[in-house]
Amino acid sequence: MRSAKIRLYVEHPLGEGQTVPLTRDQAHYLFGVMRLSVGDALLLFDGVSGEFLAEVSQADRRGGTLICRTQVRPVQSPPDLWLLFAPIKKARTDFIVEKATELGAARILPVQTDHTNADRIRRDRLQAHAVEAAEQCGGTVVPDVADLVRLEAVLAQWPADRHLMFCDETLAGPSSSVAEVFAKGTPGAILIGPEGGFSPAERTRLAAMPQARAVSLGPRILRADTAAVAALTLWQAALGDWHSAGGDHPLAAATEDLT
Ligand code: SAH
């Protein structure tokens, strides 16, 4: 087997010795675009089983089969963090989905707010962007991209235990640390508004939710796509998976061995 450079997400259960049939699009990509042939290696993940080294066992332009060899990484789920954002122009919305995937959002929920211009999204296209971003960034899980729904509908069903980091442009100014506002280890969500910001009715609704806290993203007004990246970064650094827990640290294990 030649060394594996390609990572591919497949909607098929993976396991050692498992054969994986390819869709027409996957076969076109692997054999037509990337020029792989029988015997070549690649990496596969299915979102639940981790990452596997696999080999092409049969190839043609319209289909083919892969065989899973060994698991090379266990699945690594991102923290339970949702990103709610109001869709903006197409390229910027694509950017938000791509960056949210890279930054480890578990679920992406486009929401229609009072000042959102978009009244529909291409969910399948956005989901494909999330798949591509996960393939490229080494993720073993692909965040689910939900259909566009009204913000008030999402808030009406909001889980009691999920905190909501409401990024409020009217608070632009010095910000308190996310770690002081929310408890680590609880399910969380981030809400980013559209270019037009939030309406008074939405502010009133959010202010009445015990799970929601309005936060500032610093002294300047950011574009929605920048705000999404900044908020995800703050959340991950304070509450997410950027720092391993003490026990997972290699030195912690080494210290245990010494005692
Ligand atoms: N038109 C609005 C700005 C909207 S910016 C105005 O001029 O006030 C788009 C979204 O990004 C906002 O709804 C908010 O969720 C987020 N955002 C941008 N800058 C922010 C900041 N400094 N603090 C908190 N949220 C911010």
Side-chain angles (χ1 to χ4, degrees):
M1 271 203 288
R2 269 172 270 155
S3 72
K5 291 202 180 63
I6 295 172
R7 287 187 90 236
L8 187 71
Y9 170 75
V10 289
E11 281 180 7
H12 192 280
L14 300 180
E16 290 184 10
Q18 175 79 51
T19 51
V20 180
L22 293 171
T23 65
R24 202 186 167 106
D25 283 351
Q26 288 166 337
H28 169 74
Y29 169 69
L30 294 180
F31 311 135
V33 181
M34 301 310 292
R35 306 265 159 211
L36 291 195
S37 50
V38 170
D40 284 342
L42 71 163
L43 295 165
L44 298 182
F45 65 107
D46 62 357
V48 287
S49 317
E51 183 174 278
F52 282 78
L53 186 62
E55 190 181 324
V56 177
S57 57
Q58 186 232 323
D60 69 61
R61 287 289 165 97
R62 272 159 289 123
T65 316
L66 308 175
I67 296 193
C68 259
R69 295 298 186 203
T70 47
Q71 193 196 43
V72 289
R73 269 193 320 145
V75 69
Q76 201 177 15
S77 298
D80 188 358
L81 173 64
W82 297 355
L83 174 69
L84 280 67
F85 75 100
I88 37 178
K89 288 199 190 80
K90 190 166 142 285
R92 289 180 184 274
T93 300
D94 291 352
F95 175 93
I96 290 177
V97 169
E98 181 183 293
K99 299 309 159 205
T101 306
E102 291 175 33
L103 289 164
R107 211 170 156 223
I108 300 172
L109 297 96
V111 289
Q112 206 177 12
T113 65
D114 290 342
H115 298 156
T116 304
N117 295 324
D119 54 8
R120 45 178 223 104
I121 52 155
R122 286 280 311 275
R123 201 205 70 82
D124 54 339
R125 262 196 59 241
L126 293 179
Q127 187 67 67
H129 274 291
V131 166
E132 235 174 77
E135 286 173 344
Q136 178 268 326
C137 76
T140 48
V141 169
V142 178
D144 176 60
V145 182
D147 261 326
L148 183 65
V149 281
R150 292 279 317 164
L151 175 64
E152 65 246 29
V154 183
L155 298 184
Q157 317 242 322
W158 197 257
D161 65 343
R162 183 173 295 274
H163 71 239
L164 179 59
M165 173 171 158
F166 161 39
C167 299
D168 183 353
E169 66 277 0
T170 64
L171 292 184
S175 60
S176 38
S177 145
V178 171
E180 288 163 21
V181 182
F182 302 110
K184 197 174 167 127
T186 57
I190 291 168
L191 171 62
I192 302 291
E195 281 150 24
F198 290 97
S199 71
E202 285 165 345
R203 290 174 187 290
T204 308
R205 176 78 185 83
L206 287 157
M209 284 175 64
Q211 304 95 320
R213 290 278 178 287
V215 301
S216 155
L217 297 176
R220 289 162 291 274
I221 302 284
L222 310 176
R223 297 190 76 130
D225 45 348
T226 319
V229 171
L232 285 159
T233 305
L234 287 178
W235 197 97
Q236 287 288 25
L239 310 170
D241 61 6
W242 286 22
H243 310 282
S244 57
D248 297 333
H249 195 282
L251 280 182
T255 325
E256 267 164 36
D257 288 348
L258 292 176
T259 54

